[in-house]
Amino acid sequence: MTQTAQQYLSALGADLELPEKLKQELDTLGFTIIENVVDADWLEEMRRTIDMLVDREGENLAIEHHQEEGVTRVANLINKGTVWEKVWAHPLALAACKHIFAGGFKISSLNAREAHPDCGHQPLHADWKKPRPDFPKVHLVNSIWAIDDLTRENGAPRIIPSTHLRKELPEDVLDNVDGEHPDQVYLECPAGSVMIFNAHTWHSGTINYSGARRRVLHGLYIDRDDVPQQDQKKWLSEYTASRLTPAQKWLLDVD
C-alpha cells in the first residue's frame, strides 16, 4: 500500500484495530457478521430515505446500475443523501477492507435492495466473474447492511463458507447453482448489523417467503486498479463533491 493510500485511510479511521475473531472469520470463512453497528435513529433515517427515494424516483431507481425482477433496487446512493456517507466511509468497513485487500482499494458502488414477497432468489455466484490468474489476490469486498431484521423466512442472504479460497466459480463446478448447498449458511441478523465478506465467496439472495420488509444496503469495494461497478466520476454531483473531504474523494477515486 502506498504512503498516500495509508494516509487517506488513516484520515478515514481505517486504522481501527479489528478483533482477532473477526479477522480469523474473514480469513478462514470469508465473511463475518457484526451486530449493533447502526443505532435506532440512524436506522430510522435510512429507512425513511430509502422509501422517499423509491416514491420519488419511480422507474429511474437504478438507472445507474440495473433493475431486478421482483426486487426494488436503488442505485448510486452516494449521490442521494448525506446519510449514506456514514455507510460507505464507515471506519469498521474500511478497516475490514484494509485487512482483506492488503493493499489499496476504492468504492465500487453503494445500492439498496429489497426483495418483494415470494421474490428475491438468486443463483449462487461470486461477485468477480473474470479469470483469476493472480489468485488468491482479492478484487472485491462486499458489505451488506441490514436495514430490517434479516431472517431465513424473509430472504436473508446465504453464503458458502470458505469458498473464497477456491479459484473456481460456482457455475463451473456445481450441477445446480439455484439449488440448496450442503454447506450454506443463512446470514440471519437483527437490523443494524453489517455483514462483511470477501466477494469471491459464493453467495446469493433468497426468497422472501414471509413478505416482511427486508431492506439492505450493498456497499461494494474494489481493488484500486480495477474498474468499479458504477463510475463515480460520471455520476458524482457538484453538491456531493462540494462536501467531500480529500480522503473521501480518494476513496471514491474522484480526486
Side-chain angles (χ1 to χ4, degrees), residues 40-254:
D41 290 341
W42 183 16
L43 263 178
E44 189 55 37
E45 185 180 1
M46 289 197 287
R47 288 168 178 159
R48 286 197 309 266
T49 306
I50 289 173
D51 290 347
M52 178 270 293
L53 289 169
V54 171
D55 290 339
R56 187 183 74 187
E57 299 201 4
E59 294 180 357
N60 294 320
L61 279 171
I63 192 172
E64 308 91 340
H65 185 35
H66 73 274
Q67 201 49 273
E68 181 182 352
E69 186 175 357
V71 167
T72 294
R73 282 186 179 270
V74 187
N76 190 29
L77 288 178
I78 287 163
N79 288 288
K80 296 177 180 177
T82 57
V83 66
W84 311 119
E85 287 171 20
K86 291 192 293 183
V87 174
W88 58 264
H90 196 285
L92 181 59
L94 298 183
C97 284
K98 183 180 175 183
H99 174 76
I100 299 171
F101 281 113
F105 59 92
K106 59 189 176 185
I107 296 288
S108 183
S109 60
L110 178 64
N111 306 315
R113 181 180 187 269
E114 180 176 8
H116 300 165
D118 297 320
C119 299
H121 171 79
Q122 295 174 325
L124 281 172
H125 63 279
D127 289 333
W128 185 259
K129 307 298 185 185
K130 300 177 183 179
R132 298 178 68 190
D134 52 4
F135 177 84
K137 176 182 172 65
V138 177
H139 290 272
L140 288 170
V141 172
N142 212 337
S143 61
I144 300 178
W145 296 66
I147 307 304
D148 299 299
D149 293 342
L150 295 182
T151 67
R152 184 169 180 176
E153 290 73 28
N154 77 350
R158 60 174 175 156
I159 197 163
I160 315 302
S162 303
T163 46
H164 66 300
L165 302 175
R166 301 183 60 169
K167 189 173 183 178
E168 311 97 328
L169 294 170
E171 57 266 33
D172 296 333
V173 295
L174 297 180
D175 293 332
N176 181 11
V177 293
D178 289 301
E180 298 285 309
H181 190 285
D183 300 325
Q184 69 186 28
V185 173
Y186 286 89
L187 299 175
E188 298 180 283
C189 59
S193 303
V194 180
M195 294 142 281
I196 301 173
F197 60 102
N198 180 323
H200 297 285
T201 313
W202 304 354
H203 63 282
S204 77
T206 67
I207 295 175
N208 181 356
Y209 289 109
S210 73
R213 299 204 69 178
R214 44 88 69 226
R215 291 162 289 189
V216 298
L217 305 176
H218 290 179
L220 185 63
Y221 302 85
I222 193 167
D223 181 87
R224 197 79 188 165
D225 295 327
D226 291 324
V227 179
Q229 187 179 67
Q230 292 168 20
D231 184 345
Q232 303 301 330
K233 290 182 180 179
K234 174 181 177 181
W235 296 108
L236 188 69
S237 69
E238 290 185 10
Y239 175 69
T240 300
S242 69
R243 67 173 185 268
L244 296 178
T245 67
Q248 288 174 322
K249 289 181 178 179
W250 173 86
L251 187 60
L252 292 171
D253 198 20
V254 296

Side-chain angles (χ1 to χ4, degrees), residues 5-39:
Q6 182 58 57
Q7 290 172 338
Y8 282 133
L9 287 171
S10 295
L12 292 164
D15 290 335
L16 180 72
E17 183 61 34
L18 297 173
E20 286 301 318
K21 179 176 182 292
L22 190 152
K23 290 190 287 188
Q24 183 180 23
E25 288 175 346
L26 291 173
D27 292 343
T28 61
L29 302 177
F31 70 94
T32 191
I33 300 176
I34 310 158
E35 297 186 4
N36 300 313
V37 177
V38 183
D39 63 33

